Amino acid sequence: MKKVDVILGLQWGDEGKGKVVDVLTPNYEVVARFQGGPNAGHTLEFGGEKYVLRSIPSGIFQGGKTNIIGGGVVLDAILFRAEAEELAKSGHDLTRQLAISKKAHLILPTHRILDAALEAAKGSAKIGTTGKGIGPTYTDKVSRSGMRVGDLLSPDFERIYAAAKARHERMLRSLNYEYDITELERQWFEAVEYLKRFRILDSEYFINEALTEGKSVLAEGAQGTLLDVDFGSYPFVTSSNTVCAGACTGLGVAPKNIGEVYGIFKAYCTRVGSGPFPTELFDETGDALCRIGHEFGAVTGRKRRCGWLDLVALKYSIMINGVTQLIMMKSDVMNDFETIRVATAYEIGGERTEHFPYTITDDLRPVYTDFEGWRCDLRGCRSYDEFPEAFRRYVEFIERETGVPVKIISVGPDRAETIVR
Ligand code: GDP
Ligand code: IMO
Ligand code: MG
């Protein structure tokens, strides 16, 4: 029996999960997204083309694989349709390669409106969500009043929808939120019909049977560990379990059947939306990371906040997920930096700690270790031995500190710009 390998983000999302899933897919027969929804934006580049995936797994471009939208995902039929039709235009017919779990929850038009209304009501305490209805949809799931993809096949579908909509409208009235749902609702009903073209299945059986038959499965996470609803920088988090345990609940895989856990991180840090960020830079270096790294949200276009690599947070994420292999992205962005800093501890109220704290307060100061920059273009390197010594020192320091090997190093957005050790 094979095990499921999991790939997930160790920071605040946008680490480069899409690129790495695409690179690793040739080794797998099934790729399955286990949580999140169209708040994700996973970018892939190859053959001079660039694609951004939101709900469709990033294994879709490596032909002949089965890609599954798992039960832990929340699906917006309108955005899914737009994404699938865009791929169809570029010659990728998904109907045979993609299957959707009956247990995935549906994002309703009113969930999107509620997301906006709840954010507006929070005022300056807003989370800075992607506005895709993620929080309200997961709230309905947990409060046992959600709608699932499997309900599409039920004769009661319209009745279940009407009850959910009426409940949401009562909430929107109490929030005094003005909206017009007519056009969105029309599109949504058309889009849920479109969904029925795809294979809708009990994905937990599909995946477990695949494992028993000796097929290999890769689970693709969305967001990052520091956005996890339980272990992230709460309340500035998303509404799902982005950690490895989320692959078990999102796909119906037993913990003993998890194999490798690939943890992805950028050689620096970014965050989009509100919430604490200990190593954030507000100076020219932060601007340079943003500019050179093209750090603008793939979904919302928002400027991502940038800062130095934070080893306190990284070690915390490795611990929570049981990471077995590290994957380091975007080191090339710092090619011309003279000095590169890494936070190795925090000082909170004068006390030093290496633990990621319950809340991150204004008196937290990162303690940095400085590295000499490598001052050369990593994008040309195609093996670990070709990397300059200063860069190898940086990588080996991270390995020593975390106790986990860095097995893949990405030095550019293209598939080909990937070094496997
Ligand atoms: P994801 O959400 O984790 O899949 O990551 P995103 O796609 O949101 O953000 C990662 C961005 O960095 C994308 O624009 C990628 O094309 C780009 N990228 C990925 N790896 C590298 C790399 O090694 N170097 C550079 N310069 N860009 C990269
Ligand atoms: P990928 O998969 C980066 C952030 C939002 C906001 C918070 C809650 O591309 O890495 P939500 O819409 O989920 O309720 O927003 O989480 N966020 C992400 N940040 N990458 C993502 O996904 C994100 N998905 C959500 O900016 O701060
Ligand atoms: Mg992203």
Side-chain angles (χ1 to χ4, degrees):
M1 175 142 173
K2 286 267 189 181
K3 296 193 173 191
V4 174
D5 293 342
V6 182
I7 192 153
L8 43 78
L10 298 178
Q11 295 162 324
W12 280 283
D14 302 327
E15 296 89 350
K17 298 173 289 292
K19 170 181 166 164
V20 175
V21 169
D22 173 61
V23 167
L24 293 179
T25 296
N27 306 332
Y28 294 89
E29 278 141 291
V30 178
V31 178
R33 255 287 290 276
F34 62 85
Q35 47 67 235
N39 47 350
H42 294 179
T43 316
L44 288 76
E45 284 192 38
F46 53 88
E49 299 288 331
K50 178 171 165 171
Y51 300 90
V52 178
L53 299 173
R54 293 168 154 192
S55 302
I56 294 172
S58 303
I60 203 75
F61 296 108
Q62 305 275 13
K65 313 291 178 176
T66 305
N67 285 263
I68 296 180
I69 297 180
V73 170
V74 290
L75 193 65
D76 183 321
I78 301 174
L79 296 176
F80 169 79
R81 180 183 183 177
E83 190 177 330
E85 287 184 340
E86 196 58 40
L87 291 185
K89 262 195 243 156
S90 55
H92 298 92
D93 174 21
L94 305 184
T95 40
R96 266 193 263 139
Q97 295 178 60
L98 186 73
I100 306 173
S101 168
K102 282 184 192 163
K103 292 189 173 68
H105 276 247
L106 288 167
I107 302 178
L108 310 189
T110 38
H111 281 135
R112 260 206 238 175
I113 307 210
L114 271 171
D115 193 353
L118 292 166
E119 281 283 88
K122 282 197 155 120
S124 62
K126 72 173 194 241
I127 309 291
T129 71
T130 57
K132 298 290 180 276
I134 306 299
T137 308
Y138 278 115
T139 301
D140 274 0
K141 169 178 173 168
V142 175
S143 68
R144 298 161 295 187
S145 41
M147 276 189 92
R148 299 186 291 176
V149 169
D151 293 334
L152 287 176
L153 313 171
S154 157
D156 281 342
F157 179 71
E158 296 217 1
R159 189 189 53 74
I160 307 172
Y161 174 80
K165 179 183 166 188
R167 193 164 37 79
H168 295 158
E169 289 191 315
R170 281 195 298 278
M171 292 165 72
L172 287 163
R173 269 197 299 280
S174 75
L175 287 163
N176 273 326
Y177 195 78
E178 297 280 331
Y179 62 96
D180 180 358
I181 200 181
T182 328
E183 175 54 20
L184 202 57
E185 198 172 40
R186 188 190 62 72
Q187 287 178 21
W188 190 80
F189 274 102
E190 277 180 18
V192 290
E193 277 308 307
Y194 176 83
L195 267 189
K196 292 183 188 163
R197 297 178 188 192
F198 293 86
R199 188 166 168 205
I200 294 175
L201 79 182
D202 293 306
S203 59
E204 55 282 13
Y205 276 107
F206 183 93
I207 289 172
N208 280 288
E209 284 166 11
L211 295 175
T212 309
E213 289 163 15
K215 293 186 177 148
S216 48
V217 179
L218 180 64
E220 174 180 3
Q223 292 80 53
T225 301
L226 303 175
L227 288 171
D228 179 89
V229 67
D230 285 298
F231 294 101
S233 48
Y234 192 88
F236 300 100
V237 293
T238 190
S239 299
S240 64
N241 280 117
T242 61
V243 294
C244 187
C248 295
T249 56
L251 298 177
V253 173
K256 70 172 184 181
N257 291 332
I258 298 293
E260 295 296 328
V261 181
Y262 300 106
I264 307 198
F265 68 104
K266 280 180 193 168
Y268 50 94
C269 267
T270 62
R271 169 161 209 171
V272 56
S274 326
F277 180 178
T279 59
E280 183 168 11
L281 290 165
F282 300 94
D283 57 8
E284 276 173 21
T285 310
D287 290 344
L289 286 170
C290 180
R291 192 179 61 252
I292 304 166
H294 304 292
E295 295 295 356
F296 295 91
V299 172
T300 57
R302 286 180 293 176
K303 187 172 184 287
R304 295 176 185 148
R305 301 153 62 192
C306 294
W308 296 120
L309 181 65
D310 182 342
L311 277 184
V312 179
L314 193 70
K315 286 188 199 169
Y316 170 78
S317 296
I318 290 171
M319 172 183 81
I320 301 287
N321 292 300
V323 171
T324 59
Q325 301 189 25
L326 286 169
I327 301 179
M328 182 159 115
M329 313 298 288
K330 300 191 88 159
S331 326
D332 55 293
V333 171
M334 300 194 289
N335 278 344
D336 296 325
F337 284 28
E338 230 164 87
T339 305
I340 290 166
R341 313 195 82 187
V342 179
T344 43
Y346 297 152
E347 250 179 41
I348 305 172
E351 296 266 323
R352 187 188 160 97
T353 178
E354 289 183 22
H355 279 190
F356 194 71
Y358 173 72
T359 48
I360 293 168
T361 43
D362 286 344
D363 60 348
L364 183 151
R365 301 272 169 274
V367 179
Y368 288 107
T369 300
D370 287 357
F371 288 82
E372 190 193 322
W374 38 91
R375 312 293 296 275
C376 75
D377 188 1
L378 300 179
R379 286 185 78 165
C381 299
R382 286 293 172 271
S383 74
Y384 190 72
D385 297 339
E386 288 177 36
F387 285 134
E389 203 185 319
F391 177 66
R392 282 189 268 140
R393 268 202 297 277
Y394 187 65
V395 175
E396 286 157 26
F397 177 77
I398 293 167
E399 290 185 315
R400 259 196 321 279
E401 283 284 309
T402 59
V404 184
V406 177
K407 288 283 196 182
I408 299 178
I409 296 171
S410 168
V411 292
D414 195 273
R415 242 185 212 170
E417 294 168 306
T418 316
I419 284 99
V420 180
R421 286 169 82 191

